[in-house]
Amino acid sequence: MAKTDPGDLSRRILAGERRALARAITLVESRRDDHRAEAAELLDLLKPVGRTALRIGLSGTPGVGKSTFIESFGAMLTGQGLRVAVLAVDPSSARSGGSILGDKTRMERLSRDPGAFIRPSPSQTHLGGVARRTREAVALCEAAGFDAVLIETVGVGQSETVVAEMSDLFILLIAPAGGDELQGVKRGIMEIADMILVNKADGDLKAAAARTCADYSQALRLLRPRVQDLKGFPRAMTVSALAEDGLAEAWAGMQALADWRRDNGHWQARRAAQARHWFEEEVRQGLLARLHTQEPVRARMAALGEAVAEGAQSPVQAATEVLKLLAGGTG
Ligand code: GDP
């Protein structure tokens, strides 16, 4: 990639130029130091503009209908004249270099829609790296004037928490269940979801979807007594991404919750807490990176690892020595 002029790029992003946005996201995803510096300058230039989008986190297991939902839901929003960006946090790309999400053949209709912008998950070596790049990409999409940013993730491991931490609203997509058990949806996810959408409420699955929805409504009532949230949220609803049914209701619900949170200061508080979390996470990641990049520390880590494995030194003693070295002490 050629050298970038952050000033020029920022002007083009503010003008809503998609190519400029794509280029800027490539810049934030780069691991090269000069690109990181340009990206940081760019983000600094864009921040004071203060544009915000509704950030919607969306999670669900593979096959539940996430891409179908994003296609239909995204098309509905662009049909209303809204601009929609779709980003992804794919934990599998962090682990294997492969990807469950985000290959370009998904969401074909939306990818041709001039009101939409789709970007697959960055491939990084760890979830923290994917999260950082995605947070920056969200900020870029906001600056480019998008009204809604959908951040998609697969329902495995830590990725939901990571996505919830960068979203204003967090939506869990589930499929109709056969039995009366809650499909192994983890309690932790139930605790962060603002809305559970039971997808595939069409044809033969319609009745099962209604039952599943009732089960989840009850589970939400038990788990989440509505002390400080809007009446009715968190809420379970049925949708059919394929038949494009229930999408307008889901959107109305999202807007109602977002408006209520704005009016009551919860929105601002949530973003403030997220900004603080992001800052602390950056410090943590930076400290961790030093273990590998600072040569004396890296070498000492390796040597002490051996000593600990041989029983020559205790793990705690060895760790204390490394921490002193990191802090600039003599160890
Ligand atoms: P993802 O892996 O979560 O992105 O799921 P996909 O969007 O790829 O959908 C997985 C399968 O479920 C596909 O065969 C879709 O056609 C189907 N599917 C998605 N949404 C619906 C729906 O609303 N109703 C029905 N009946 N099938 C759906």
Side-chain angles (χ1 to χ4, degrees):
M1 192 159 51
K3 194 156 169 44
T4 308
D5 171 2
D8 176 57
L9 197 55
S10 73
R11 277 187 295 279
R12 288 167 49 209
I13 289 169
L14 290 174
E17 247 187 68
R18 302 155 63 95
R19 278 185 48 210
L21 175 62
R23 188 187 167 86
I25 296 180
T26 304
L27 205 58
V28 300
E29 285 175 359
S30 171
R31 271 175 272 199
R32 271 176 47 179
D33 284 346
D34 54 336
H35 289 167
R36 295 288 320 144
E38 286 168 7
E41 193 182 337
L42 178 65
L43 289 163
D44 274 351
L45 286 170
L46 293 170
K47 190 163 175 37
V49 178
R51 286 183 181 163
T52 55
L54 180 58
R55 305 175 186 169
I56 304 168
L58 180 75
S59 173
T61 49
V64 74
K66 289 180 299 301
S67 34
T68 312
F69 177 82
I70 292 171
E71 277 264 63
S72 315
F73 186 73
M76 181 186 76
L77 298 187
T78 61
Q80 296 174 9
L82 298 172
R83 295 178 71 217
V84 180
V86 181
L87 304 173
V89 169
D90 187 345
S92 60
S93 69
R95 241 177 283 129
S96 62
S99 149
I100 311 178
L101 288 171
D103 60 66
K104 285 204 173 123
T105 54
R106 299 165 80 241
M107 301 181 242
E108 259 178 64
R109 182 164 52 133
L110 204 59
S111 62
R112 288 193 305 269
D113 188 329
F117 176 87
I118 300 179
R119 182 82 178 192
S121 180
S123 51
Q124 296 280 330
T125 50
H126 59 95
L127 186 58
V130 177
R132 172 204 263 175
R133 307 304 181 238
T134 310
R135 280 195 198 97
E136 292 178 342
V138 169
L140 292 169
C141 291
E142 291 196 314
F146 282 87
D147 300 290
V149 181
L150 298 176
I151 312 154
E152 176 192 14
T153 195
V154 193
V156 290
Q158 283 290 301
S159 66
E160 282 106 347
T161 320
V162 162
V163 168
E165 271 158 4
M166 57 179 93
S167 306
D168 300 315
L169 302 175
F170 187 73
I171 316 288
L172 177 65
L173 212 60
I174 59 167
D180 55 4
E181 87 289 5
L182 295 183
Q183 295 177 55
V185 169
K186 290 188 197 66
R187 196 189 163 109
I189 299 164
M190 297 282 288
E191 280 166 359
I192 56 174
D194 293 305
M195 204 186 262
I196 292 179
L197 297 179
V198 185
N199 190 32
K200 309 196 184 186
D202 49 48
D204 293 347
L205 291 169
K206 201 162 182 167
R211 274 196 308 276
T212 303
C213 184
D215 290 345
Y216 276 92
S217 297
Q218 191 182 8
L220 283 173
R221 271 196 297 277
L222 292 173
L223 272 173
R224 307 266 299 266
R226 293 164 187 145
V227 267
Q228 54 154 22
D229 249 334
L230 174 68
K231 37 195 174 318
F233 283 94
R235 175 194 294 180
M237 297 169 80
T238 57
V239 292
S240 167
L242 210 56
E244 307 192 357
D245 206 14
L247 303 180
E249 290 79 359
W251 175 231
M254 291 178 210
Q255 285 177 296
L257 179 57
D259 287 346
W260 181 84
R261 283 196 175 149
R262 270 196 209 97
D263 294 345
N264 289 278
H266 293 312
W267 169 292
Q268 297 79 352
R270 184 175 168 120
R271 286 215 171 183
Q274 288 175 346
R276 184 186 294 275
H277 173 83
W278 184 358
F279 154 68
E280 289 171 357
E281 192 56 31
E282 280 292 308
V283 173
R284 249 192 303 277
Q285 295 295 338
L287 278 175
L288 280 176
R290 283 196 199 170
L291 293 178
H292 307 288
T293 54
Q294 280 189 356
E295 190 41 43
V297 178
R298 203 188 60 78
R300 200 71 197 118
M301 273 285 280
L304 285 166
E306 290 296 321
V308 168
E310 284 163 10
Q313 208 164 353
S314 86
V316 173
Q317 213 178 24
T320 307
E321 187 183 325
V322 172
L323 291 173
K324 272 191 193 150
L325 200 60
L326 262 183
T330 53

